[in-house]
Amino acid sequence: MSKIIYLDHGATTAVDERVLNKMIPYFNISYGNPSSMYGIGRQNKMVIERARQEVAKVINCNPKEIYFTSCGSESDNLALKGIMYANKEKGKHIITSKVEHPAIMNTCATLKRQGFDITYLNVNKEGFVKLDELRNAIRNDTVLISIMFANNEIGTIQNIMEISKIAKENNIIFHTDAVQAVGNIKIDVQKLGVDSLSMSAHKFYGPKGVGALYVKNDINIDRIQDGGHQEKGMRSGTENVAGIVGLAEALKIAYKELDENNKKILENRNYFIEEIKENFKETTINGNLEHRLPGNINVTFKGKDSLEILLKLDEYGICASSGSACSTGEDKPSYVLTAIGLSPEEAFSTIRFSLGKENIKEEIDYTISILSKI
Ligand code: PLP
């Protein structure tokens, strides 16, 4: 096999051809600035509003509750900083978990330096936030709970409904980093009862460099970037029209084809897991098998060095990762894996494969054969 076998959809995805075709005219034909008063500008303003409606329809909110951003990290920054700055009089306490993506972890670190107080909840060995610990962590000055929807390394899907219920009972705002979840599992913000939710187009076959943030209309939030009036003054900067069009189109396609794609991805994932178990005795699959992102396989090959395996896989054209792409190259063990109880040695022996809609069974067979060889 000479073509690349891409098993790293948790890191990013290829732009769907249909999405790409929809985006292209906005680079060089309909390139007007949406703030300009003439035709090609005004037209692009309308294009953005249509995209906003499409996104809102998919996640079941009002279009006015959607803000376009440059990525998932920016959406998380805007949510956490924006909400904490706007609600200072209520308190300075945030509750989050020990397994959040760096977009949340490092935003919390910055907020801590600015005088906010952060509680990091433990997770159990499958990666679930302990709800009792969450209840006990709540204080009079708790303003925000930020718990990710689905983990980027081990794929565990949190009990978002229950967390949202706890937040509501205590009059606390609830943000969820849903960057890994959007496009892969059904999301209805009304049903879930979340106040704020972030997404990123490149995780669901849209372009890189564009994200969105849902913020419920009654939530107080400040902007964190100064400039023009774009996005109702909440996110200044000339809009990435092509990117926004791409995000909306990718989201629409992802949900139209969700059931069909997930059926196939799940079949492939279960097959992959069975093959791993059968061919490699000293392995463990981390996380929960039921409440898990469909394409995620996180496996520890005991006594092996994950970096060495990944480099060898790369020689055979197979793309996978250890931990998240954002932390590749760090010499510390993954804090997500140590939080679920893995030793540093086990964490350094762990690989994440994340399957996507285009993967086929033959690619899994080939990967297993190469894994055996190396
Ligand atoms: N949150 C989670 C859970 C992620 O997995 C990622 C990216 O991997 C991000 C946030 C950041 O998204 P982006 O790459 O669009 O900044």
Side-chain angles (χ1 to χ4, degrees), residues 74-86 94 96 103-108 111 116 118 144-147 175-177 196 213 221 224:
E74 189 192 332
S75 297
D76 284 335
N77 269 264
L78 177 56
L80 266 58
K81 291 175 184 162
I83 288 170
M84 292 315 288
Y85 297 161
I94 305 170
T96 186
I104 295 289
M105 286 301 199
N106 290 331
T107 302
C108 285
L111 286 167
F116 293 90
I118 326 284
L144 177 67
I145 295 173
S146 178
I147 302 289
H175 168 70
T176 187
D177 171 353
S196 163
L213 178 68
I221 180 164
I224 58 168

Side-chain angles (χ1 to χ4, degrees), residues 72 125 137 247 313 361:
K125 68 179 193 340
L247 181 145
L313 286 176
K361 188 171 161 283

Side-chain angles (χ1 to χ4, degrees), residues 34-165:
S35 300
S36 298
M37 45 76 58
Y38 41 77
I40 57 166
R42 285 199 317 271
Q43 202 177 306
N44 277 356
K45 180 113 200 125
M46 278 159 59
V47 164
I48 291 174
E49 293 321 307
R50 201 181 317 133
R52 204 185 306 282
Q53 283 166 15
E54 288 168 353
V55 173
K57 191 168 168 212
V58 171
I59 67 164
N60 192 23
C61 69
N62 190 308
K64 291 194 179 110
E65 296 171 315
I66 296 291
Y67 300 96
F68 290 114
T69 65
S70 68
C71 58
S73 302
E74 189 192 332
S75 297
D76 284 335
N77 269 264
L78 177 56
L80 266 58
K81 291 175 184 162
I83 288 170
M84 292 315 288
Y85 297 161
N87 293 279
K88 270 189 190 141
E89 75 297 338
K90 198 183 156 209
K92 290 194 152 194
H93 185 224
I94 305 170
I95 301 174
T96 186
S97 83
K98 289 189 178 167
V99 296
E100 300 293 313
H101 186 272
I104 295 289
M105 286 301 199
N106 290 331
T107 302
C108 285
T110 296
L111 286 167
K112 172 123 183 109
R113 284 194 296 277
Q114 294 171 351
F116 293 90
D117 198 12
I118 326 284
T119 299
Y120 297 91
L121 300 175
N122 290 303
V123 293
N124 67 15
K125 68 179 193 340
E126 293 186 316
F128 292 109
V129 162
K130 299 175 177 173
L131 297 181
D132 282 344
E133 204 179 303
L134 169 61
R135 283 191 195 91
N136 291 335
I138 292 171
R139 312 189 316 212
N140 286 338
D141 65 337
T142 308
V143 172
L144 177 67
I145 295 173
S146 178
I147 302 289
M148 71 200 315
F149 205 116
N151 187 268
N152 42 300
E153 292 190 41
I154 55 172
T156 302
I157 298 170
Q158 299 291 340
N159 190 343
I160 294 298
M161 286 256 237
E162 202 50 41
I163 297 171
S164 136
K165 219 169 98 195

Side-chain angles (χ1 to χ4, degrees), residues 4 24 45 116 127 135 188 194 201 225 275 292 365 370:
I4 273 183
I24 285 171
K45 180 113 200 125
F116 293 90
R135 283 191 195 91
D188 179 328
V194 298
Q225 176 160 303
E275 287 294 304
R292 185 190 195 97
D365 289 333
I370 297 303

Side-chain angles (χ1 to χ4, degrees), residues 311-330:
L311 290 173
K312 285 264 167 57
L313 286 176
D314 183 39
E315 282 173 23
Y316 288 93
I318 301 167
C319 308
S321 70
S322 67
S324 64
C326 308
S327 55
T328 305
E330 283 187 7

